[in-house]
Amino acid sequence: SVSTMAPPPPPPSPTRPPSRLPRLLTTLLSLLILLPLLLFSPVLAVALRLHAVQKFGYLIHEFDPWFNFRATQYLSDNGLYKFFHWFDYMSWYPLGRPVGSTIYPGMQLTAVAIHRVLNSKLLGLNMSLNDVCVFVPAWFGVTATAALGALTAECAGSATAGVFAALIMAMIPAHIMRSVAGGYDNESIAVTSICLVFFLWASSLRTTHPSSDSSSATPEPAAAVAKKTEPVASNAADEPEVVKGGAEKAKLKQRKKPAKVEQSEGGKDAAGAASSESPVSAAGGDDLPALVSKVFFSADEIATAHTYFFGLLTGIAYIYMVMAWGGYVFVLNMVAFHAALLVMTGRYTQKLHRAYTLFYAVGTAGAVLVPVVGWTPLKSLEQLGAFVVFVGLQALEFCETVRKQKKMSPHDAGVFKFKVAGVLGVGLVAVVAMLLPMGYFGPISARVRSLFVKHTRTGNPLVDSVAEHQATSPQAYLQFLSDIYYVAPIGFVMCFFGRTDAKVFLLAYGAVAYYFSAKMSRLVILLGPIASALGGVALGGFFRWVVESAVLATDFVMKNIGFVASDSDIDSVESDGSKKPAKKPVGAKKASNSVLGLKMPEPVVKLYNQPFFVIIRAVVGIAALYLLYVRGQVFSEYCQTMARHMSHPSIMFKGQLRDGSTVLVDDYREGYWWLRDHTPEDSRVLSWWDYGYQITGIGNRTTLADGNTWNHEHIATIGKMLVSPEKEAHSMIRHVADFVLIWAGGQSDDLAKSPHMARIGNSVFPDICPNDPLCRSFGFVGGRPTKMMAESLLFKLHGSGLVEGVQVNPKFFREVFRSKFGKVRIYAVLQVSQKSKKWVADPANRLCDRPGSWYCPGQYPPALEDVIARRKNFAQLEDFNRAKDPNSKQYTDQYHKSFEQGG
């Protein structure tokens, strides 16, 4: 029984044409507000990141950036080949460091490329490499802002959300913290890479079909909703249905019986992706194989050229990410987790298979070419999960291909998938069983393991000594996210409505980033982009609601005063009593059966769209928008304050004297300059490992450690030298150093760090603090040093001439420099063993991996053989490639127990 078609309504009067104002005003108003915000975001991003240059000039900050700059200078001067074959003997003396195989070179390559372009004949800007390196973080702050805006627009399906997300990203402290000018560190370009990879990945999954999830279906016209509520005869399964189009023409649809679902050529069920029924409910009463088949293959969208193109670009962008930062492991696993999540939630498509295959194949092929990475993508437990997902997707696509070719029933397809999964599982177990005894798989690193262990410490005192590796406090979230800490959860909830593959990615990214950032404060940087994206989703949705409400209210008022014609938006009734659907104004959007994205009964929707309530919505929305603007000003001012604060370099800072006057404390550079200008070029400087980068980069002198943590045992040896009694320490130091540099003067000086020195040293030399992993005997009790502390070399170097009764032995050390404010003290080592120095300098005593090779590590001088022989290589218990050591287990157990007891 087909409904009688209503006669078309009379055309509107030529003198009073239908109103086109809603659509026009919405577009114009949105453009007037959003376009300036979009153009303002990059300007704001740069301005907030240049405070350091305005106050301190073109200065490189902190510790790691100085090594990065030195490496960039070496690349610029010597070229790519020598850079990747650079064995640096000015760091990690006497061993040296193979820089080419221990550095992520993306930032150096990028800075040199930018420097050469800017100084080319075409531009001729004559900008120094130092200045380029200073500006790189600020420049990439802009690119990260743009990439994050594009990612949000792609995932949310809303340019408005993208504009607001970019605006937040431009000034959120969680991003500024690693992108101020002068902070020339890997993270400054890595955030751009992260956002770019994620944007391209989301773009590769872009779909034009409705989701298989009913919550993500496109809202239907109100007339269609009303039609669904009409009673349908039980025998009407095959009756034609009237569907009204824009021209009110009747089109006939043949309803398919659920029991007669056929597989199309493309593999999509009639009740597949376009169905509003969920995959699980669609399975009905089928058996388990059929249920599995329908859950995992409810939507089979065919891959297009767009999929291949963006999948390939995702892999290429990932290669750059690998070159830029060790955090590429997060990006790899985030994409893999998203792909696995889509499969597990019944959203597997051909697009997903093609996009992930291209991403993983191209990305991994490029990643293994980066020397510092090598074959770890196929060996490290941290990265093998992505490989498992890759294999799993190939198996799923194989099953789908066979299913289509053989036209299997759901039951047969399910059984076939079980068989393939069984064979694949047995094969993987066999491969693991074969490779595990060979030591093929690499263990999880201490940093990554710390994200999952129950302890607040990792068991590795070197990793635990770094403040950034500690758990994030709730106050830190408020500090680095401010108001977005409260806004982002709203956007997170909004992503559950109208779900697409890209929105699922935002949900997954938000959950994962929050978890990891809570475990390690350094990873708050990963929370900056997703917090901005979710904040953009929330603010963008609110902005659209306010604008649309205001425009609808304005249109209603103008119609009632006769300024424009009124298009009857009220349902009328035919003479026979049947309902006549409302006529939509020209250019108006289709009626929605939802309120604020939530599906509601039709009476509620009608009430919500009544003119009176539309006006109330507009008034409330505009008032709320004004309050939001006021709060936004407060947020902006807070971000500017944080930007100024985070722009202060630690290498120099402003301080206040007792008389209240403000001074610029530049003690650290003064100490490094003194080494550069007043010591022989072959001088070797002993210091705690933190300062090595600055000593080599600014002072141009050889250091025993450069700030990297790649050699635990060597750092522990330095720790032993500093915490040992003066005479014992001198007997070791005289063979490897000419000068000893310490940080003094309070705050984060070497005396404050000395407990970490003792603990790290004790992890390799157990005789430092026997049966006491935390070295409680090395410290202060009641403000007075313990016996072990008072006898240590570090305490005497720190307090010599300043603390009553404390003086270094003039036969062993002599103070040669003290900075203006006492922050740096340098001592000359007396009775230096020239024999050991010459022995280390002799190339014949280096251990090359083959004749004529560039890879030639140095050795400790023979005079230190007894000391080195007493070292116990530090091995994490989780390193299953090493034989189990009862002593190591005892040490780790004691270490954790001590912290749990309040140590």
Side-chain angles (χ1 to χ4, degrees):
S1 59
V2 182
S3 302
T4 304
M5 292 182 59
S13 171
T15 59
R16 300 182 64 190
S19 172
R20 298 175 182 269
L21 282 178
R23 182 178 181 182
L24 181 61
L25 286 178
T26 301
T27 302
L28 289 178
L29 187 58
S30 297
L31 284 176
L32 286 174
I33 297 176
L34 296 179
L35 188 58
L37 291 180
L38 181 64
L39 298 176
F40 178 63
S41 295
V43 177
L44 179 64
V46 171
L48 290 178
R49 289 159 175 80
L50 294 183
H51 290 302
V53 173
Q54 296 167 1
K55 278 193 174 183
F56 303 100
Y58 301 101
L59 173 69
I60 301 228
H61 301 185
E62 315 309 329
F63 300 109
D64 293 11
W66 278 103
F67 167 76
N68 293 326
F69 172 68
R70 179 168 172 256
T72 305
Q73 188 72 63
Y74 188 93
L75 172 62
S76 179
D77 294 343
N78 297 278
L80 199 60
Y81 179 83
K82 288 187 176 180
F83 177 77
F84 283 112
H85 295 80
W86 175 25
F87 205 103
D88 182 18
Y89 294 104
M90 290 188 67
S91 60
W92 294 93
Y93 182 87
L95 307 177
R97 174 184 176 180
V99 177
S101 60
T102 59
I103 187 176
Y104 291 94
M107 186 168 59
Q108 285 75 20
L109 293 170
T110 301
V112 170
I114 294 175
H115 176 251
R116 292 184 177 177
V117 169
L118 293 179
N119 288 271
S120 64
K121 293 182 179 180
L122 180 63
L123 298 180
L125 295 181
N126 194 27
M127 195 173 190
S128 71
L129 185 61
N130 176 87
D131 294 353
V132 169
C133 293
V134 167
F135 281 109
V136 159
W139 291 338
F140 273 80
V142 176
T143 59
T145 297
L148 189 278
L151 169 64
T152 307
E154 179 68 37
C155 292
S158 166
T160 304
V163 171
F164 278 102
L167 184 63
I168 296 171
M169 186 68 169
M171 55 182 168
I172 193 168
H175 181 215
I176 294 177
M177 65 188 290
R178 293 288 183 175
S179 58
V180 296
Y184 184 57
D185 212 347
N186 297 74
E187 291 92 331
S188 62
I189 69 169
V191 175
T192 293
S193 305
I194 292 172
C195 296
L196 181 60
V197 172
F198 289 166
F199 162 68
L200 294 172
W201 167 248
S203 296
S204 69
L205 300 177
R206 186 182 300 168
T207 177
T208 57
H209 296 281
S211 168
S212 61
D213 194 321
S214 60
S215 65
S216 62
T218 304
E220 298 178 84
V225 176
K227 186 69 178 176
K228 286 184 177 180
T229 62
E230 296 179 4
V232 180
S234 59
N235 61 347
D238 293 318
E239 291 181 4
E241 177 186 10
V242 174
V243 179
K244 295 189 181 293
E248 301 295 333
K249 291 183 179 179
K251 296 181 180 179
L252 298 182
K253 268 190 177 179
Q254 189 72 20
R255 270 192 206 149
K256 304 293 184 181
K257 290 184 178 181
K260 296 182 179 181
V261 173
E262 299 291 341
Q263 302 295 334
S264 67
E265 192 66 29
K268 180 166 34 178
D269 296 338
S275 173
S276 62
E277 200 172 295
S278 68
V280 176
S281 63
D286 290 339
D287 56 12
L288 183 61
L291 175 63
V292 172
S293 177
K294 291 187 177 182
V295 167
F296 284 90
F297 297 95
S298 63
D300 185 6
E301 286 197 42
I302 303 301
T304 63
H306 177 95
T307 306
Y308 289 98
F309 178 70
F310 278 91
L312 177 63
L313 288 183
T314 306
I316 295 173
Y318 171 70
I319 295 173
Y320 182 75
M321 177 68 218
V322 174
M323 297 174 64
W325 187 38
Y328 76 89
V329 177
F330 167 77
V331 175
L332 172 66
N333 286 301
M334 189 66 250
V335 173
F337 175 68
H338 179 232
L341 186 62
L342 292 179
V343 173
M344 290 186 292
T345 54
R347 305 181 75 94
Y348 176 81
T349 64
Q350 189 186 81
K351 283 186 175 183
L352 176 62
H353 170 263
R354 301 297 193 271
Y356 189 85
T357 298
L358 280 169
F359 156 73
Y360 186 81
V362 174
T364 302
V368 298
L369 299 178
V370 181
V372 69
V373 175
W375 292 101
T376 55
L378 301 177
K379 299 175 69 174
S380 172
L381 292 181
E382 300 166 9
Q383 303 176 54
L384 283 176
F387 174 74
V388 173
V389 173
F390 173 77
V391 174
L393 288 179
Q394 308 315 308
L396 287 175
E397 186 63 18
F398 170 73
C399 292
E400 268 297 273
T401 302
V402 174
R403 179 183 69 85
K404 296 173 186 176
Q405 291 176 349
K406 296 186 177 182
K407 299 181 179 179
M408 293 181 176
S409 66
H411 175 273
D412 293 340
V415 171
F416 181 68
K417 295 180 187 88
F418 275 122
K419 291 180 179 179
V420 171
V423 172
L424 184 62
V426 171
L428 288 176
V429 170
V431 171
V432 171
M434 180 181 65
L435 296 178
L436 188 60
M438 300 167 56
Y440 174 84
F441 298 107
I444 297 176
S445 68
R447 288 183 179 87
V448 173
R449 188 166 45 81
S450 68
L451 301 174
F452 300 97
V453 295
K454 64 179 181 179
H455 304 283
T456 57
R457 305 287 173 163
T458 67
N460 185 330
L462 178 56
V463 174
D464 293 339
S465 69
V466 181
E468 291 180 335
H469 295 162
Q470 306 309 312
T472 306
S473 65
Q475 293 75 19
Y477 283 116
L478 290 174
Q479 178 184 5
F480 293 113
L481 298 181
S482 187
D483 291 353
I484 306 304
Y485 181 71
Y486 302 104
V487 176
I490 300 175
F492 185 84
V493 173
M494 290 174 64
C495 287
F496 279 97
F497 303 102
R499 286 195 300 277
T500 62
D501 291 350
K503 279 191 178 180
V504 171
F505 178 79
L506 286 185
L507 293 170
Y509 182 12
V512 172
Y514 179 77
Y515 172 82
F516 287 131
S517 66
K519 288 287 187 175
M520 185 181 293
S521 60
R522 181 182 185 182
L523 297 184
V524 169
I525 187 176
L526 299 178
L527 201 59
I530 185 60
S532 301
L534 295 176
V537 171
L539 295 180
F542 173 72
F543 175 81
R544 290 195 306 273
W545 177 78
V546 172
V547 170
E548 290 174 0
S549 298
V551 169
L552 287 175
T554 303
D555 184 56
F556 171 75
V557 172
M558 296 178 72
K559 288 174 182 177
N560 278 271
I561 64 176
F563 188 77
V564 294
S566 175
D567 304 308
S568 179
D569 293 327
I570 303 175
D571 292 337
S572 59
V573 180
E574 297 286 1
S575 59
D576 60 358
S578 60
K579 190 176 181 181
K580 173 184 174 183
K583 176 182 179 296
K584 297 184 291 294
V586 177
K589 293 183 178 180
K590 290 183 179 181
S592 173
N593 61 338
S594 65
V595 174
L596 296 177
L598 301 175
K599 286 192 174 182
M600 294 290 181
E602 187 179 5
V604 176
V605 176
K606 284 188 175 182
L607 181 64
Y608 178 76
N609 291 319
Q610 284 296 317
F612 175 73
F613 284 100
V614 168
I615 294 175
I616 293 179
R617 282 161 45 191
V619 173
V620 172
I622 292 173
L625 190 63
Y626 174 75
L627 294 177
L628 183 64
Y629 168 77
V630 173
R631 187 61 200 179
Q633 292 290 93
V634 175
F635 174 69
S636 176
E637 292 174 4
Y638 173 80
C639 291
Q640 293 183 48
T641 301
M642 286 293 293
R644 286 190 290 268
H645 174 73
M646 290 185 288
S647 296
H648 291 173
S650 62
I651 197 172
M652 59 187 298
F653 56 90
K654 290 183 177 181
Q656 197 170 47
L657 299 178
R658 293 180 180 177
D659 61 4
S661 59
T662 301
V663 295
L664 182 65
V665 180
D666 201 6
D667 283 28
Y668 306 116
R669 291 200 301 171
E670 288 178 10
Y672 305 143
W673 287 333
W674 185 90
L675 286 172
R676 181 194 63 192
D677 300 334
H678 296 88
T679 63
E681 290 186 2
D682 64 347
S683 296
R684 305 156 300 171
V685 181
L686 169 68
S687 70
W688 188 229
W689 67 279
D690 291 8
Y691 325 132
Y693 284 147
Q694 293 180 346
I695 293 173
T696 307
I698 304 175
N700 196 29
R701 292 297 177 263
T702 300
T703 62
L704 271 68
D706 67 358
N708 196 292
T709 59
W710 72 291
N711 192 324
H712 183 108
E713 289 73 23
H714 188 71
I715 294 176
T717 304
I718 296 174
K720 178 177 176 59
M721 293 176 181
L722 293 172
V723 304
S724 295
E726 184 179 14
K727 184 176 181 180
E728 180 184 351
H730 179 265
S731 67
M732 295 182 284
I733 294 173
R734 63 186 292 265
H735 294 287
V736 292
D738 301 294
F739 297 91
V740 179
L741 181 148
I742 67 167
W743 277 22
Q747 296 179 340
S748 300
D749 63 6
D750 283 346
L751 204 60
K753 299 173 183 175
S754 61
H756 294 297
M757 301 179 190
R759 293 170 187 171
I760 296 170
N762 189 63
S763 67
V764 173
F765 294 94
D767 58 335
I768 294 179
C769 303
N771 299 318
D772 182 13
L774 299 189
C775 284
R776 296 184 184 87
S777 57
F778 187 85
F780 292 85
V781 178
R784 299 180 63 84
T786 61
K787 182 176 182 297
M788 184 180 177
M789 170 66 81
E791 293 177 350
S792 69
L793 171 64
L794 179 63
F795 182 78
K796 292 190 175 182
L797 295 177
H798 189 278
S800 181
L802 299 177
V803 178
E804 184 178 356
V806 178
Q807 195 72 41
V808 295
N809 190 327
K811 295 180 180 179
F812 299 147
F813 302 96
R814 183 181 75 251
E815 185 174 14
V816 293
F817 174 81
R818 186 185 303 180
S819 61
K820 181 178 181 180
F821 297 102
K823 296 292 185 182
V824 176
R825 302 182 73 174
I826 301 175
Y827 292 83
V829 180
L830 306 180
Q831 305 177 34
V832 172
S833 173
Q834 295 299 325
K835 179 180 179 181
S836 293
K837 189 173 184 178
K838 291 179 181 179
W839 188 91
V840 172
D842 187 354
N845 295 319
R846 295 171 183 165
L847 301 176
C848 298
D849 58 350
R850 65 179 185 275
S853 173
W854 68 276
Y855 192 91
C856 299
Q859 299 185 78
Y860 292 100
L864 292 181
E865 284 182 356
D866 292 341
V867 176
I868 303 304
R870 296 201 303 271
R871 292 197 314 193
K872 180 177 177 295
N873 288 341
F874 183 81
Q876 295 290 154
L877 294 179
E878 287 75 10
D879 188 352
F880 42 75
N881 293 322
R882 299 191 185 207
K884 298 301 181 183
D885 183 357
N887 293 330
S888 295
K889 186 178 187 307
Q890 181 182 6
Y891 168 86
T892 303
D893 291 344
Q894 289 180 340
Y895 184 87
H896 286 309
K897 186 176 180 180
S898 298
F899 272 112
E900 290 172 354
Q901 293 176 348

